[in-house]
Every structure is written in C-alpha cells, then in structure tokens.
Amino acid sequence: MKIKFQADVNLKIQIIRAVKRLEPGIDFKTALEADLNNKSDAEVLRIAADEGRIIVSHDRKTMPYYFTEFIQKTKSPGIIIIGQNKNTQRVADDIALIWWTGEAEELVNQILVLPFIGF
C-alpha cells in the first residue's frame, strides 16, 4: 500500500510544500485539514492510525514517548521525527524518497529520524 503522511501541528508548512513540489501525487495531509489543533499526542496518534497515515513531526520530546505507549496497545503506521533546524529541502528529499521507494507496511510501528545522513 502506498504511504500517506499526516503533519503534526508543529510541522513547518514549508516542508509540506517542498514535498508536494517534488511529488504532487503524495498524500500529505496538513494538521489543519485533519483538525489536529488542541489535540493531545495520543489523539493525534489515534487519528493518524485510523486513517493509515504516518505522522511527520518536529516533536522529539513527547511524541516518541506517546508513540511507544500507543504501539503497546495497537498498531501505528509509524512516525517521522525531524529536527527543528534541519534543511527544508533535504528533509523534503528524504520524505519523497521514502514515498517513492517504500511501502506503508514497512514502516508500521517504526520511528524514523530525518534527515537520514548529514547535519
């Protein structure tokens, strides 16, 4: 199955735009489209899981903790964590690469940290 992404509320919109410029066919839902404002991490994980979407977030502090709790009870499509100060184009390239080469099933219950290589 093709990968679908869900932006967390803290994800920079520039990343989503850069990804969609690279590959307009990517299904990458914004936090606004998913009505994620004022939702807890646990709620965001549930919403994304219900829609089969991998969460893309800058939240390195709490999201991995809640993700670990979540996958003890049920499956998650996975999450991608991105450092706040990472190069937008580099991160967009990595997300597009994941979409081009991966399948959703490969990322179930996984945490990826981007960018893959470099600083």
Short mmCIF file of all heavy atoms in Angstrom, two decimals, residues 7-77:
data_model
loop_
_atom_site.label_atom_id
_atom_site.label_comp_id
_atom_site.label_asym_id
_atom_site.label_seq_id
_atom_site.Cartn_x
_atom_site.Cartn_y
_atom_site.Cartn_z
N ALA A 7 0.76 15.56 8.82
CA ALA A 7 1.58 16.55 9.52
C ALA A 7 1.05 16.76 10.93
O ALA A 7 -0.15 16.89 11.14
CB ALA A 7 1.56 17.87 8.76
N ASP A 8 1.97 16.81 11.88
CA ASP A 8 1.62 17.19 13.24
C ASP A 8 1.45 18.71 13.25
O ASP A 8 1.89 19.41 12.34
CB ASP A 8 2.76 16.75 14.18
CG ASP A 8 2.37 16.74 15.65
OD1 ASP A 8 1.19 17.01 15.97
OD2 ASP A 8 3.24 16.44 16.49
N VAL A 9 0.84 19.24 14.31
CA VAL A 9 0.58 20.69 14.36
C VAL A 9 1.86 21.52 14.36
O VAL A 9 1.84 22.66 13.92
CB VAL A 9 -0.30 21.08 15.57
CG1 VAL A 9 -1.69 20.52 15.43
CG2 VAL A 9 0.33 20.66 16.88
N ASN A 10 2.95 20.95 14.81
CA ASN A 10 4.19 21.73 14.89
C ASN A 10 5.06 21.64 13.63
O ASN A 10 6.09 22.28 13.55
CB ASN A 10 5.01 21.28 16.10
CG ASN A 10 5.46 19.84 16.01
OD1 ASN A 10 5.35 19.19 14.97
ND2 ASN A 10 5.96 19.32 17.11
N LEU A 11 4.64 20.87 12.63
CA LEU A 11 5.46 20.70 11.43
C LEU A 11 5.42 21.97 10.58
O LEU A 11 4.34 22.50 10.30
CB LEU A 11 4.98 19.51 10.61
CG LEU A 11 5.88 19.18 9.42
CD1 LEU A 11 7.21 18.60 9.89
CD2 LEU A 11 5.19 18.22 8.46
N LYS A 12 6.58 22.41 10.17
CA LYS A 12 6.67 23.61 9.33
C LYS A 12 5.99 23.37 7.99
O LYS A 12 6.29 22.39 7.30
CB LYS A 12 8.13 23.99 9.11
CG LYS A 12 8.84 24.40 10.37
CD LYS A 12 10.30 24.66 10.11
CE LYS A 12 11.02 24.95 11.41
NZ LYS A 12 12.47 25.04 11.23
N ILE A 13 5.09 24.27 7.62
CA ILE A 13 4.34 24.15 6.37
C ILE A 13 5.27 24.15 5.16
O ILE A 13 4.96 23.55 4.13
CB ILE A 13 3.26 25.25 6.27
CG1 ILE A 13 2.26 24.94 5.15
CG2 ILE A 13 3.89 26.62 6.07
CD1 ILE A 13 1.34 23.80 5.44
N GLN A 14 6.44 24.77 5.28
CA GLN A 14 7.40 24.80 4.17
C GLN A 14 7.84 23.40 3.78
O GLN A 14 8.13 23.13 2.62
CB GLN A 14 8.64 25.65 4.53
CG GLN A 14 8.35 27.10 4.74
CD GLN A 14 8.00 27.43 6.18
OE1 GLN A 14 7.62 26.57 6.97
NE2 GLN A 14 8.11 28.70 6.53
N ILE A 15 7.89 22.49 4.76
CA ILE A 15 8.29 21.12 4.46
C ILE A 15 7.22 20.45 3.60
O ILE A 15 7.53 19.80 2.61
CB ILE A 15 8.55 20.33 5.77
CG1 ILE A 15 9.81 20.87 6.45
CG2 ILE A 15 8.66 18.83 5.49
CD1 ILE A 15 10.07 20.31 7.82
N ILE A 16 5.96 20.62 3.98
CA ILE A 16 4.87 20.02 3.20
C ILE A 16 4.88 20.58 1.78
O ILE A 16 4.76 19.83 0.81
CB ILE A 16 3.51 20.27 3.87
CG1 ILE A 16 3.49 19.65 5.26
CG2 ILE A 16 2.38 19.72 3.01
CD1 ILE A 16 2.31 20.07 6.11
N ARG A 17 5.04 21.87 1.65
CA ARG A 17 5.06 22.49 0.32
C ARG A 17 6.22 21.98 -0.52
O ARG A 17 6.06 21.70 -1.72
CB ARG A 17 5.14 24.01 0.46
CG ARG A 17 3.86 24.63 0.97
CD ARG A 17 4.00 26.12 1.11
NE ARG A 17 2.79 26.68 1.69
CZ ARG A 17 2.76 27.71 2.49
NH1 ARG A 17 3.89 28.35 2.82
NH2 ARG A 17 1.62 28.16 2.98
N ALA A 18 7.39 21.84 0.09
CA ALA A 18 8.56 21.35 -0.64
C ALA A 18 8.36 19.90 -1.09
O ALA A 18 8.73 19.54 -2.21
CB ALA A 18 9.82 21.47 0.22
N VAL A 19 7.76 19.09 -0.24
CA VAL A 19 7.49 17.70 -0.60
C VAL A 19 6.52 17.64 -1.78
O VAL A 19 6.73 16.91 -2.75
CB VAL A 19 6.92 16.91 0.60
CG1 VAL A 19 6.40 15.55 0.18
CG2 VAL A 19 7.98 16.75 1.70
N LYS A 20 5.46 18.43 -1.72
CA LYS A 20 4.46 18.41 -2.79
C LYS A 20 4.99 18.99 -4.09
O LYS A 20 4.52 18.60 -5.16
CB LYS A 20 3.20 19.15 -2.33
CG LYS A 20 2.42 18.34 -1.30
CD LYS A 20 1.11 18.98 -0.95
CE LYS A 20 0.31 18.09 -0.03
NZ LYS A 20 -1.02 18.63 0.25
N ARG A 21 5.96 19.90 -4.01
CA ARG A 21 6.61 20.38 -5.25
C ARG A 21 7.41 19.26 -5.90
O ARG A 21 7.43 19.12 -7.12
CB ARG A 21 7.52 21.57 -4.96
CG ARG A 21 6.82 22.91 -5.00
CD ARG A 21 7.80 24.07 -5.03
NE ARG A 21 8.77 24.07 -3.95
CZ ARG A 21 8.57 24.60 -2.74
NH1 ARG A 21 7.41 25.17 -2.45
NH2 ARG A 21 9.50 24.57 -1.82
N LEU A 22 8.08 18.47 -5.08
CA LEU A 22 8.86 17.34 -5.60
C LEU A 22 7.97 16.26 -6.20
O LEU A 22 8.29 15.68 -7.23
CB LEU A 22 9.70 16.69 -4.49
CG LEU A 22 10.96 17.41 -4.07
CD1 LEU A 22 11.51 16.76 -2.80
CD2 LEU A 22 11.98 17.40 -5.17
N GLU A 23 6.88 15.98 -5.52
CA GLU A 23 5.97 14.91 -5.96
C GLU A 23 4.53 15.30 -5.65
O GLU A 23 4.04 15.05 -4.54
CB GLU A 23 6.33 13.60 -5.26
CG GLU A 23 5.46 12.44 -5.65
CD GLU A 23 5.37 12.23 -7.15
OE1 GLU A 23 6.40 11.87 -7.76
OE2 GLU A 23 4.29 12.44 -7.70
N PRO A 24 3.85 15.92 -6.61
CA PRO A 24 2.47 16.36 -6.37
C PRO A 24 1.51 15.23 -6.00
O PRO A 24 0.47 15.47 -5.38
CB PRO A 24 2.06 16.98 -7.71
CG PRO A 24 3.35 17.35 -8.37
CD PRO A 24 4.34 16.32 -7.92
N GLY A 25 1.83 14.00 -6.33
CA GLY A 25 0.95 12.87 -6.04
C GLY A 25 0.99 12.38 -4.60
O GLY A 25 0.21 11.51 -4.22
N ILE A 26 1.89 12.91 -3.79
CA ILE A 26 2.00 12.47 -2.39
C ILE A 26 0.76 12.90 -1.61
O ILE A 26 0.33 14.04 -1.69
CB ILE A 26 3.28 13.02 -1.73
CG1 ILE A 26 4.50 12.31 -2.30
CG2 ILE A 26 3.23 12.88 -0.22
CD1 ILE A 26 5.83 12.79 -1.73
N ASP A 27 0.22 11.97 -0.85
CA ASP A 27 -0.92 12.25 0.03
C ASP A 27 -0.35 12.70 1.37
O ASP A 27 0.09 11.88 2.18
CB ASP A 27 -1.76 10.98 0.18
CG ASP A 27 -3.04 11.21 0.96
OD1 ASP A 27 -3.17 12.24 1.65
OD2 ASP A 27 -3.91 10.33 0.89
N PHE A 28 -0.32 14.01 1.58
CA PHE A 28 0.28 14.60 2.77
C PHE A 28 -0.71 15.60 3.36
O PHE A 28 -0.84 16.72 2.90
CB PHE A 28 1.59 15.31 2.39
CG PHE A 28 2.57 15.52 3.51
CD1 PHE A 28 3.92 15.44 3.26
CD2 PHE A 28 2.16 15.80 4.81
CE1 PHE A 28 4.86 15.63 4.27
CE2 PHE A 28 3.07 16.00 5.82
CZ PHE A 28 4.43 15.91 5.55
N LYS A 29 -1.43 15.17 4.37
CA LYS A 29 -2.48 15.97 4.99
C LYS A 29 -1.88 16.92 6.02
O LYS A 29 -1.05 16.52 6.84
CB LYS A 29 -3.48 15.03 5.66
CG LYS A 29 -4.83 15.60 5.92
CD LYS A 29 -5.72 14.52 6.51
CE LYS A 29 -7.13 14.65 6.06
NZ LYS A 29 -8.00 13.64 6.70
N THR A 30 -2.32 18.18 5.97
CA THR A 30 -1.86 19.15 6.96
C THR A 30 -2.61 18.94 8.28
O THR A 30 -3.67 18.31 8.32
CB THR A 30 -2.10 20.60 6.48
OG1 THR A 30 -3.51 20.84 6.43
CG2 THR A 30 -1.46 20.87 5.13
N ALA A 31 -2.06 19.52 9.34
CA ALA A 31 -2.73 19.45 10.64
C ALA A 31 -4.08 20.17 10.59
O ALA A 31 -5.05 19.71 11.21
CB ALA A 31 -1.84 20.06 11.71
N LEU A 32 -4.15 21.25 9.84
CA LEU A 32 -5.40 21.99 9.70
C LEU A 32 -6.46 21.13 9.01
O LEU A 32 -7.61 21.05 9.46
CB LEU A 32 -5.16 23.28 8.91
CG LEU A 32 -6.34 24.22 8.77
CD1 LEU A 32 -6.81 24.71 10.14
CD2 LEU A 32 -5.96 25.40 7.89
N GLU A 33 -6.08 20.44 7.94
CA GLU A 33 -7.01 19.56 7.22
C GLU A 33 -7.54 18.44 8.11
O GLU A 33 -8.68 17.99 7.96
CB GLU A 33 -6.35 18.95 5.98
CG GLU A 33 -6.07 19.95 4.89
CD GLU A 33 -5.18 19.39 3.79
OE1 GLU A 33 -4.31 18.54 4.06
OE2 GLU A 33 -5.37 19.81 2.64
N ALA A 34 -6.71 17.98 9.04
CA ALA A 34 -7.10 16.88 9.93
C ALA A 34 -7.69 17.38 11.25
O ALA A 34 -8.05 16.57 12.10
CB ALA A 34 -5.89 16.00 10.22
N ASP A 35 -7.77 18.70 11.41
CA ASP A 35 -8.32 19.31 12.63
C ASP A 35 -7.58 18.82 13.88
O ASP A 35 -8.19 18.33 14.83
CB ASP A 35 -9.82 19.02 12.74
CG ASP A 35 -10.50 19.84 13.82
OD1 ASP A 35 -10.02 20.96 14.12
OD2 ASP A 35 -11.50 19.36 14.40
N LEU A 36 -6.25 18.96 13.85
CA LEU A 36 -5.44 18.47 14.97
C LEU A 36 -5.15 19.52 16.04
O LEU A 36 -4.57 19.17 17.08
CB LEU A 36 -4.11 17.92 14.44
CG LEU A 36 -4.20 16.73 13.51
CD1 LEU A 36 -2.80 16.24 13.14
CD2 LEU A 36 -5.02 15.61 14.10
N ASN A 37 -5.52 20.77 15.80
CA ASN A 37 -5.26 21.80 16.82
C ASN A 37 -5.92 21.43 18.13
O ASN A 37 -7.04 20.92 18.17
CB ASN A 37 -5.78 23.17 16.35
CG ASN A 37 -4.88 23.76 15.30
OD1 ASN A 37 -3.68 23.47 15.26
ND2 ASN A 37 -5.44 24.58 14.44
N ASN A 38 -5.19 21.64 19.21
CA ASN A 38 -5.65 21.36 20.58
C ASN A 38 -5.90 19.89 20.85
O ASN A 38 -6.63 19.55 21.77
CB ASN A 38 -6.90 22.19 20.92
CG ASN A 38 -6.62 23.68 20.81
OD1 ASN A 38 -5.62 24.16 21.30
ND2 ASN A 38 -7.52 24.38 20.15
N LYS A 39 -5.30 19.02 20.06
CA LYS A 39 -5.41 17.58 20.31
C LYS A 39 -4.13 17.10 21.00
O LYS A 39 -3.04 17.58 20.73
CB LYS A 39 -5.57 16.80 18.99
CG LYS A 39 -6.79 17.18 18.17
CD LYS A 39 -7.99 16.38 18.55
CE LYS A 39 -9.17 16.47 17.63
NZ LYS A 39 -9.75 17.72 17.33
N SER A 40 -4.28 16.16 21.89
CA SER A 40 -3.11 15.60 22.58
C SER A 40 -2.33 14.71 21.61
O SER A 40 -2.85 14.30 20.57
CB SER A 40 -3.57 14.77 23.78
OG SER A 40 -4.24 13.61 23.33
N ASP A 41 -1.10 14.39 21.98
CA ASP A 41 -0.30 13.48 21.16
C ASP A 41 -1.01 12.14 20.97
O ASP A 41 -1.01 11.57 19.88
CB ASP A 41 1.09 13.25 21.78
CG ASP A 41 2.01 14.44 21.63
OD1 ASP A 41 1.67 15.38 20.89
OD2 ASP A 41 3.09 14.42 22.26
N ALA A 42 -1.62 11.64 22.04
CA ALA A 42 -2.33 10.37 21.96
C ALA A 42 -3.49 10.45 20.96
O ALA A 42 -3.71 9.52 20.18
CB ALA A 42 -2.85 9.96 23.34
N GLU A 43 -4.20 11.57 20.95
CA GLU A 43 -5.30 11.74 19.99
C GLU A 43 -4.79 11.83 18.56
O GLU A 43 -5.38 11.27 17.64
CB GLU A 43 -6.11 13.00 20.32
CG GLU A 43 -6.94 12.89 21.58
CD GLU A 43 -7.59 14.22 21.94
OE1 GLU A 43 -6.86 15.19 22.22
OE2 GLU A 43 -8.84 14.27 21.92
N VAL A 44 -3.68 12.55 18.37
CA VAL A 44 -3.08 12.68 17.05
C VAL A 44 -2.65 11.31 16.54
O VAL A 44 -2.90 10.97 15.37
CB VAL A 44 -1.87 13.66 17.08
CG1 VAL A 44 -1.09 13.63 15.79
CG2 VAL A 44 -2.36 15.08 17.38
N LEU A 45 -2.05 10.51 17.39
CA LEU A 45 -1.65 9.16 17.01
C LEU A 45 -2.85 8.31 16.61
O LEU A 45 -2.81 7.59 15.61
CB LEU A 45 -0.89 8.49 18.16
CG LEU A 45 0.53 9.00 18.38
CD1 LEU A 45 1.00 8.67 19.78
CD2 LEU A 45 1.47 8.43 17.33
N ARG A 46 -3.93 8.41 17.35
CA ARG A 46 -5.13 7.64 17.03
C ARG A 46 -5.74 8.08 15.70
O ARG A 46 -6.09 7.25 14.87
CB ARG A 46 -6.17 7.77 18.14
CG ARG A 46 -7.43 6.94 17.88
CD ARG A 46 -8.56 7.27 18.85
NE ARG A 46 -8.88 8.69 18.94
CZ ARG A 46 -9.54 9.39 18.00
NH1 ARG A 46 -9.93 8.82 16.90
NH2 ARG A 46 -9.80 10.66 18.20
N ILE A 47 -5.85 9.39 15.50
CA ILE A 47 -6.43 9.92 14.26
C ILE A 47 -5.60 9.46 13.06
O ILE A 47 -6.14 8.99 12.05
CB ILE A 47 -6.54 11.46 14.32
CG1 ILE A 47 -7.61 11.86 15.34
CG2 ILE A 47 -6.82 12.05 12.95
CD1 ILE A 47 -7.58 13.33 15.74
N ALA A 48 -4.28 9.60 13.17
CA ALA A 48 -3.41 9.17 12.06
C ALA A 48 -3.52 7.67 11.82
O ALA A 48 -3.58 7.22 10.68
CB ALA A 48 -1.96 9.57 12.36
N ALA A 49 -3.55 6.89 12.89
CA ALA A 49 -3.66 5.43 12.74
C ALA A 49 -4.98 5.05 12.10
O ALA A 49 -5.02 4.17 11.23
CB ALA A 49 -3.51 4.76 14.10
N ASP A 50 -6.07 5.71 12.49
CA ASP A 50 -7.38 5.41 11.91
C ASP A 50 -7.40 5.65 10.40
O ASP A 50 -8.13 4.98 9.68
CB ASP A 50 -8.47 6.26 12.57
CG ASP A 50 -8.80 5.81 13.99
OD1 ASP A 50 -8.35 4.72 14.41
OD2 ASP A 50 -9.50 6.57 14.69
N GLU A 51 -6.59 6.60 9.93
CA GLU A 51 -6.54 6.92 8.50
C GLU A 51 -5.35 6.27 7.79
O GLU A 51 -5.15 6.50 6.60
CB GLU A 51 -6.50 8.44 8.30
CG GLU A 51 -7.78 9.13 8.73
CD GLU A 51 -7.83 10.57 8.29
OE1 GLU A 51 -7.03 10.98 7.43
OE2 GLU A 51 -8.69 11.29 8.82
N GLY A 52 -4.55 5.50 8.53
CA GLY A 52 -3.40 4.83 7.93
C GLY A 52 -2.31 5.80 7.50
O GLY A 52 -1.64 5.58 6.50
N ARG A 53 -2.11 6.86 8.29
CA ARG A 53 -1.14 7.90 7.95
C ARG A 53 0.06 7.90 8.89
O ARG A 53 -0.10 7.76 10.10
CB ARG A 53 -1.79 9.28 7.99
CG ARG A 53 -2.84 9.46 6.94
CD ARG A 53 -3.49 10.84 7.01
NE ARG A 53 -4.46 10.96 5.96
CZ ARG A 53 -4.15 11.27 4.70
NH1 ARG A 53 -2.90 11.53 4.37
NH2 ARG A 53 -5.09 11.33 3.78
N ILE A 54 1.23 8.09 8.32
CA ILE A 54 2.45 8.24 9.10
C ILE A 54 2.54 9.69 9.56
O ILE A 54 2.42 10.62 8.75
CB ILE A 54 3.68 7.88 8.25
CG1 ILE A 54 3.63 6.40 7.89
CG2 ILE A 54 4.98 8.23 8.98
CD1 ILE A 54 4.65 5.98 6.87
N ILE A 55 2.74 9.90 10.84
CA ILE A 55 2.86 11.25 11.39
C ILE A 55 4.25 11.79 11.09
O ILE A 55 5.25 11.10 11.29
CB ILE A 55 2.61 11.25 12.91
CG1 ILE A 55 1.17 10.83 13.21
CG2 ILE A 55 2.91 12.63 13.51
CD1 ILE A 55 0.89 10.62 14.66
N VAL A 56 4.29 13.05 10.66
CA VAL A 56 5.55 13.76 10.47
C VAL A 56 5.55 14.92 11.45
O VAL A 56 4.65 15.76 11.44
CB VAL A 56 5.70 14.27 9.01
CG1 VAL A 56 7.06 14.92 8.82
CG2 VAL A 56 5.49 13.13 8.02
N SER A 57 6.56 14.96 12.33
CA SER A 57 6.54 15.90 13.45
C SER A 57 7.94 16.43 13.77
O SER A 57 8.93 15.76 13.49
CB SER A 57 5.97 15.17 14.68
OG SER A 57 5.95 16.00 15.81
N HIS A 58 7.97 17.61 14.38
CA HIS A 58 9.22 18.14 14.94
C HIS A 58 9.33 17.79 16.42
O HIS A 58 10.33 18.10 17.05
CB HIS A 58 9.26 19.67 14.81
CG HIS A 58 9.46 20.16 13.42
ND1 HIS A 58 10.58 19.89 12.68
CD2 HIS A 58 8.66 20.92 12.63
CE1 HIS A 58 10.47 20.47 11.49
NE2 HIS A 58 9.32 21.09 11.44
N ASP A 59 8.31 17.18 17.00
CA ASP A 59 8.23 16.92 18.44
C ASP A 59 9.09 15.73 18.84
O ASP A 59 8.65 14.59 18.83
CB ASP A 59 6.77 16.68 18.82
CG ASP A 59 6.58 16.46 20.31
OD1 ASP A 59 7.58 16.43 21.06
OD2 ASP A 59 5.42 16.32 20.72
N ARG A 60 10.32 16.03 19.25
CA ARG A 60 11.26 14.98 19.68
C ARG A 60 11.10 14.65 21.16
O ARG A 60 11.64 13.65 21.62
CB ARG A 60 12.70 15.43 19.46
CG ARG A 60 12.99 15.78 18.03
CD ARG A 60 14.39 16.21 17.90
NE ARG A 60 15.02 15.16 17.11
CZ ARG A 60 16.26 15.17 16.73
NH1 ARG A 60 17.05 16.13 17.08
NH2 ARG A 60 16.73 14.20 15.99
N LYS A 61 10.40 15.51 21.90
CA LYS A 61 10.31 15.33 23.34
C LYS A 61 9.17 14.41 23.76
O LYS A 61 9.40 13.47 24.51
CB LYS A 61 10.18 16.68 24.03
CG LYS A 61 11.43 17.51 23.90
CD LYS A 61 11.34 18.80 24.66
CE LYS A 61 12.65 19.57 24.48
NZ LYS A 61 12.64 20.81 25.18
N THR A 62 7.96 14.68 23.30
CA THR A 62 6.83 13.91 23.80
C THR A 62 6.28 12.88 22.81
O THR A 62 5.79 11.84 23.22
CB THR A 62 5.68 14.82 24.26
OG1 THR A 62 5.20 15.58 23.14
CG2 THR A 62 6.14 15.77 25.36
N MET A 63 6.35 13.16 21.52
CA MET A 63 5.74 12.25 20.54
C MET A 63 6.34 10.83 20.60
O MET A 63 5.59 9.86 20.60
CB MET A 63 5.81 12.83 19.14
CG MET A 63 5.05 12.04 18.10
SD MET A 63 3.28 11.80 18.45
CE MET A 63 2.62 13.35 17.90
N PRO A 64 7.67 10.67 20.67
CA PRO A 64 8.20 9.30 20.76
C PRO A 64 7.70 8.55 22.01
O PRO A 64 7.43 7.35 21.95
CB PRO A 64 9.72 9.49 20.79
CG PRO A 64 9.92 10.77 20.06
CD PRO A 64 8.75 11.65 20.47
N TYR A 65 7.56 9.26 23.11
CA TYR A 65 7.06 8.64 24.34
C TYR A 65 5.64 8.13 24.14
O TYR A 65 5.33 6.97 24.44
CB TYR A 65 7.11 9.64 25.50
CG TYR A 65 6.41 9.13 26.74
CD1 TYR A 65 7.04 8.24 27.60
CD2 TYR A 65 5.12 9.54 27.04
CE1 TYR A 65 6.39 7.76 28.72
CE2 TYR A 65 4.47 9.06 28.16
CZ TYR A 65 5.11 8.18 29.00
OH TYR A 65 4.46 7.70 30.11
N TYR A 66 4.75 9.00 23.64
CA TYR A 66 3.35 8.60 23.42
C TYR A 66 3.23 7.55 22.32
O TYR A 66 2.36 6.68 22.38
CB TYR A 66 2.47 9.81 23.13
CG TYR A 66 2.23 10.62 24.39
CD1 TYR A 66 2.90 11.80 24.61
CD2 TYR A 66 1.35 10.16 25.36
CE1 TYR A 66 2.70 12.53 25.77
CE2 TYR A 66 1.15 10.87 26.53
CZ TYR A 66 1.82 12.06 26.73
OH TYR A 66 1.62 12.75 27.89
N PHE A 67 4.11 7.61 21.34
CA PHE A 67 4.12 6.61 20.28
C PHE A 67 4.43 5.23 20.86
O PHE A 67 3.77 4.24 20.55
CB PHE A 67 5.15 7.00 19.21
CG PHE A 67 5.29 5.98 18.11
CD1 PHE A 67 4.34 5.89 17.11
CD2 PHE A 67 6.38 5.13 18.07
CE1 PHE A 67 4.46 4.95 16.09
CE2 PHE A 67 6.52 4.20 17.06
CZ PHE A 67 5.55 4.11 16.06
N THR A 68 5.44 5.17 21.73
CA THR A 68 5.82 3.91 22.37
C THR A 68 4.66 3.34 23.18
O THR A 68 4.39 2.14 23.13
CB THR A 68 7.07 4.11 23.25
OG1 THR A 68 8.13 4.61 22.44
CG2 THR A 68 7.50 2.82 23.91
N GLU A 69 3.96 4.20 23.91
CA GLU A 69 2.78 3.75 24.65
C GLU A 69 1.69 3.26 23.71
O GLU A 69 1.05 2.24 23.96
CB GLU A 69 2.22 4.90 25.51
CG GLU A 69 2.96 5.13 26.79
CD GLU A 69 2.18 6.04 27.72
OE1 GLU A 69 1.21 6.70 27.29
OE2 GLU A 69 2.56 6.08 28.90
N PHE A 70 1.48 4.01 22.62
CA PHE A 70 0.42 3.69 21.66
C PHE A 70 0.64 2.31 21.03
O PHE A 70 -0.30 1.51 20.95
CB PHE A 70 0.38 4.78 20.58
CG PHE A 70 -0.76 4.65 19.62
CD1 PHE A 70 -2.01 5.15 19.94
CD2 PHE A 70 -0.59 4.06 18.38
CE1 PHE A 70 -3.08 5.05 19.05
CE2 PHE A 70 -1.64 3.95 17.48
CZ PHE A 70 -2.89 4.44 17.83
N ILE A 71 1.86 2.02 20.61
CA ILE A 71 2.10 0.76 19.91
C ILE A 71 2.11 -0.45 20.85
O ILE A 71 2.12 -1.59 20.38
CB ILE A 71 3.38 0.79 19.04
CG1 ILE A 71 4.64 0.97 19.88
CG2 ILE A 71 3.24 1.83 17.95
CD1 ILE A 71 5.94 0.82 19.10
N GLN A 72 2.09 -0.23 22.14
CA GLN A 72 1.93 -1.35 23.07
C GLN A 72 0.50 -1.85 23.08
O GLN A 72 0.24 -2.99 23.47
CB GLN A 72 2.37 -0.94 24.47
CG GLN A 72 3.86 -0.75 24.58
CD GLN A 72 4.30 -0.24 25.94
OE1 GLN A 72 3.52 -0.15 26.87
NE2 GLN A 72 5.58 0.11 26.04
N LYS A 73 -0.44 -0.99 22.63
CA LYS A 73 -1.86 -1.34 22.63
C LYS A 73 -2.39 -1.66 21.24
O LYS A 73 -3.32 -2.45 21.10
CB LYS A 73 -2.67 -0.19 23.23
CG LYS A 73 -2.31 0.15 24.65
CD LYS A 73 -2.99 1.41 25.09
CE LYS A 73 -2.41 1.85 26.43
NZ LYS A 73 -2.64 3.24 26.69
N THR A 74 -1.83 -1.02 20.24
CA THR A 74 -2.35 -1.17 18.88
C THR A 74 -1.26 -0.83 17.87
O THR A 74 -0.20 -0.34 18.24
CB THR A 74 -3.59 -0.28 18.67
OG1 THR A 74 -4.19 -0.61 17.42
CG2 THR A 74 -3.26 1.18 18.71
N LYS A 75 -1.52 -1.07 16.61
CA LYS A 75 -0.56 -0.74 15.55
C LYS A 75 -0.62 0.72 15.18
O LYS A 75 -1.68 1.35 15.25
CB LYS A 75 -0.83 -1.56 14.29
CG LYS A 75 -0.40 -2.98 14.35
CD LYS A 75 -0.60 -3.60 12.99
CE LYS A 75 -0.34 -5.08 13.04
NZ LYS A 75 -0.62 -5.70 11.74
N SER A 76 0.51 1.23 14.74
CA SER A 76 0.60 2.59 14.20
C SER A 76 1.28 2.52 12.84
O SER A 76 2.21 1.72 12.66
CB SER A 76 1.43 3.49 15.12
OG SER A 76 1.71 4.72 14.48
N PRO A 77 0.86 3.36 11.90
CA PRO A 77 1.55 3.41 10.61
C PRO A 77 3.00 3.89 10.75
O PRO A 77 3.79 3.70 9.84
CB PRO A 77 0.72 4.41 9.80
CG PRO A 77 -0.63 4.37 10.44
CD PRO A 77 -0.36 4.15 11.90
#
